[in-house]
Amino acid sequence: MKLKFNNKASIILLTSVLTIVSCKKGFLDVDPDMRTYIDSPEKLGQLLSTAYPRNEYITFAETASDNVEDKGPGIGANDALLTAYYNWQDWPGSERNSATAYWNSCYAAIAAANQALEAIETRNMGPEALPYKGEALVARAYAHHMLAIFFATPYKKGTPNDAPGIPYVTEPEKVLLVKYDRGTVQSVYEKIERDLVEGINLIDDSKYQVPKYHFTRAAAHAFAARFYLFKGEWQKVIEHANAVVTGGDFTSRLRPWNTTFAQMGRDQYRIEFSKPENPSTLLLTSANSTYQRMANTYHYGMGLKGRQTYAASNNIIGKALSNYLTTYTDGVSASTTKWLEYFFYTTPDTGYPYIQQILLSTDETLMNRAEAYTQLGLIELALKDLNTFYSTRVNGYSPSTDLLTAERVMNYFEKSDIKEAMIDAILAAKKAEFMQEGLRWLDIVRHDITVVKNLYIGEDETIIKLEPGDPRRLFQIPEEAKLAGIELNPR
């Protein structure tokens, strides 16, 4: 059976939806016109496999962040898309790896979730459909939250949050050129929370053949922990983080850098890193992407500074991190080599490159909990989480010599306030851990971090900065969205 998206989809999706990526084999050769006859829980499950973004945010988020550098004159191939995002310029195209492609894929995912929810409401499928309703609600909330992170002003606790948000779409588009309103950041966050709270308790993990390509209970709680971190509701961050790992033993559920991964050769590691069997991975998607190629030897990418952050011993522990690092013959370029590119052939000669992108992990969840503990002044608990995190990452880790204390953290970051020092420690640990995963941008917008990067003009090196409040910190909404009445971000 071959399925395709409804031709009447709103202009908000901007372009026709690309062939959808399969959980198991790559890109689904299915046609979501099946939505017109979704009449069973089994068909709901098939439809909801398309309710996740099938493009990645790594390329544009990572390149705009302080994880990427100008490697110097004559080093690395130039690429117009990377050049634009490195210099915080709008990119007009909608090809893979772009912000517009991600916008489109999020709204395509939302459309699938909305179609499932409408079928549940109108076709009386009974209690068996409730787990799918839960998944659809949480998936819809997730896609809208990611859109708000990249395309709207950050949520700030204790403020009106009355800046424009992003369109929160709750019904399938049935006519051409539906008009949409961005609402406010406050209204968007209220709707995300409503969907998340309603959906999370309906999810039933037993419904999935390959659970990590869907919102399981653990993945939904991890998303909730991230969401409430953005809202500044620290106790809810802790509650949801605690629900991710049964029994609370995060150590055995973190990425096994200094144990299992350390014993692998590079080729095996590249396969194992994003496999669903990895216990640290909570949610995966197959994302249309050529990022791993671009991350290797292009002019803007990981260079000498990134190498020092990712694997060297200039961290708070003072020992090298047990991370895989691939270096290249130019003497500067490097890559984490996290993403193995796959290719799905739709014909004998054409197809789509994709990566298995990790959307949520126990590693991020643990650090989100550490930050929430810190914000509540529960420093010993935050230190325990930070020590657990480093115990799985440092070569030759020894609890007797490497244990972090409040005094050690304050001395390292030269701060007299332990909360400030702990936040610095947590953000530094995350910056290194999630390099080339795009998550650094989330911390940049949450904490109003000034992005500082180098730029060579000829042989002369200068420093460029992206300060808090700069309108370029919001990625531009696609130009075509104006046809749906959506105002663009200011420039």
Side-chain angles (χ1 to χ4, degrees):
M1 176 170 52
K2 194 163 186 166
L3 300 149
K4 54 181 179 288
F5 276 98
N6 192 328
N7 290 332
K8 294 184 179 180
S10 164
I11 196 69
I12 196 170
L13 299 183
L14 308 180
T15 57
S16 60
V17 180
L18 294 174
T19 310
I20 303 298
V21 183
S22 163
C23 301
K24 289 178 151 183
K25 297 182 180 179
F27 287 77
L28 284 175
D29 188 22
V30 295
D31 171 1
D33 272 348
M34 182 185 68
R35 298 171 181 188
T36 60
Y37 52 87
I38 298 293
D39 55 6
S40 70
E42 292 74 22
K43 291 178 182 178
L44 282 174
Q46 184 179 353
L47 173 60
L48 285 172
S49 71
T50 70
Y52 300 85
R54 300 307 193 187
N55 281 277
E56 43 88 357
Y57 52 81
I58 303 173
T59 303
F60 63 88
E62 195 74 5
T63 306
S65 80
D66 52 11
N67 278 348
V68 171
E69 60 202 87
D70 186 332
K71 299 175 187 177
I75 299 178
N78 289 314
D79 179 83
L81 181 145
L82 295 182
T83 299
Y85 288 128
Y86 187 85
N87 290 278
W88 308 305
Q89 298 168 349
D90 297 338
W91 179 253
S94 60
E95 64 267 41
R96 69 172 66 93
N97 308 315
S98 68
T100 293
Y102 188 69
W103 167 281
N104 291 344
S105 70
C106 283
Y107 278 114
I110 290 164
N114 285 338
Q115 192 69 40
L117 290 168
E118 183 184 63
I120 291 169
E121 289 296 317
T122 60
R123 298 188 182 165
N124 301 317
M125 295 184 203
E128 289 187 12
L130 289 179
Y132 299 105
K133 179 179 181 179
E135 181 185 2
L137 287 168
V138 176
R140 183 169 76 180
Y142 171 83
H144 281 108
H145 189 230
M146 295 305 294
L147 288 163
I149 289 169
F150 292 118
F151 298 98
T153 299
Y155 184 97
K156 295 295 179 185
K157 184 178 181 180
T159 71
N161 291 303
D162 53 3
I166 47 92
Y168 205 96
V169 182
T170 58
E171 296 180 0
E173 293 88 352
K174 297 178 180 178
V175 297
L176 192 63
L177 292 177
V178 176
K179 294 297 182 180
Y180 286 95
D181 182 84
R182 291 180 62 173
T184 65
V185 171
Q186 180 66 35
S187 69
V188 169
Y189 269 69
E190 288 172 356
K191 292 171 183 175
I192 293 170
E193 186 169 19
R194 182 184 62 204
D195 280 351
L196 177 59
V197 170
E198 181 181 357
I200 197 167
N201 291 322
L202 297 176
I203 290 172
D204 180 352
D205 295 3
S206 68
K207 299 298 182 181
Y208 311 123
Q209 286 187 320
V210 188
K212 290 187 180 180
Y213 290 94
H214 299 268
F215 265 112
T216 61
R217 281 287 185 97
H221 282 295
F223 163 47
R226 177 194 286 177
F227 172 72
Y228 286 113
L229 198 71
F230 271 84
K231 286 199 73 182
E233 297 187 24
W234 315 121
Q235 189 57 46
K236 288 185 179 179
V237 175
I238 295 165
E239 290 170 1
H240 284 286
N242 287 344
V244 169
V245 176
T246 303
D249 178 21
F250 271 86
T251 304
S252 63
R253 294 285 303 276
L254 299 178
R255 293 173 179 173
W257 286 111
N258 58 9
T259 52
T260 306
F261 283 170
Q263 298 168 10
M264 294 178 180
R266 187 180 74 97
D267 290 342
Q268 184 184 3
Y269 154 74
R270 295 182 70 199
I271 295 171
E272 296 293 330
F273 177 78
S274 58
K275 285 181 66 173
E277 291 80 8
N278 190 329
S280 65
T281 297
L282 297 172
L283 182 63
L284 276 171
T285 190
S286 298
N288 188 0
S289 175
T290 56
Y291 175 72
Q292 186 57 69
R293 304 181 208 172
M294 305 173 82
N296 293 346
T297 57
Y298 280 79
H299 182 67
Y300 297 112
M302 180 190 283
L304 296 176
K305 293 178 182 177
R307 291 163 63 170
Q308 289 295 310
T309 299
Y310 185 64
S313 60
N314 58 335
N315 54 64
I316 193 170
I317 302 295
K319 293 181 178 179
L321 298 174
S322 184
N323 293 338
Y324 270 88
L325 184 69
T326 300
T327 57
Y328 297 91
T329 54
D330 61 27
V332 176
S333 298
S335 171
T336 66
T337 325
K338 290 177 176 178
W339 308 115
L340 179 62
E341 184 180 303
Y342 298 89
F343 199 85
F344 181 81
Y345 285 94
T346 55
T347 73
D349 301 313
T350 62
Y352 304 89
Y354 68 97
I355 61 173
Q356 297 287 75
Q357 185 185 0
I358 298 169
L359 300 181
L360 293 164
S361 69
T362 55
D363 306 79
E364 182 200 353
T365 302
L366 180 67
M367 298 308 283
N368 290 344
R369 186 175 74 174
E371 183 172 337
Y373 279 144
T374 299
Q375 297 287 4
L376 291 175
L378 303 173
I379 303 303
E380 289 303 314
L381 291 174
L383 282 167
K384 182 179 178 181
D385 281 352
L386 192 57
N387 281 310
T388 297
F389 186 81
Y390 274 116
S391 72
T392 64
R393 281 153 175 78
V394 172
N395 281 329
Y397 181 84
S398 170
S400 62
T401 58
D402 299 328
L403 199 68
L404 296 176
T405 63
E407 181 181 13
R408 186 172 176 181
V409 173
M410 287 190 291
N411 288 341
Y412 184 84
F413 289 99
E414 299 180 341
K415 295 284 180 67
S416 58
D417 185 297
I418 181 58
K419 287 178 70 172
E420 290 182 11
M422 282 296 296
I423 295 297
D424 285 350
I426 292 164
L427 294 179
K430 291 174 71 178
K431 178 176 168 62
E433 174 61 29
F434 301 114
M435 189 165 285
Q436 296 193 338
E437 296 184 50
L439 295 186
R440 173 64 173 171
W441 191 258
L442 277 61
D443 287 338
I444 286 170
V445 299
R446 278 197 311 111
H447 284 279
D448 283 334
I449 297 170
T450 297
V451 184
V452 180
K453 299 196 283 196
N454 71 321
L455 184 68
Y456 280 93
I457 303 174
E459 298 290 329
D460 298 324
E461 185 180 23
T462 187
I463 297 298
I464 57 175
K465 296 182 180 182
L466 188 67
E467 304 277 0
D470 191 311
R472 295 173 299 169
R473 291 169 76 94
L474 278 61
F475 291 95
Q476 187 55 280
I477 290 172
E479 183 75 20
E480 296 91 335
K482 289 194 296 185
L483 295 174
I486 301 169
E487 62 179 303
L488 304 188
N489 287 324
R491 286 293 183 261

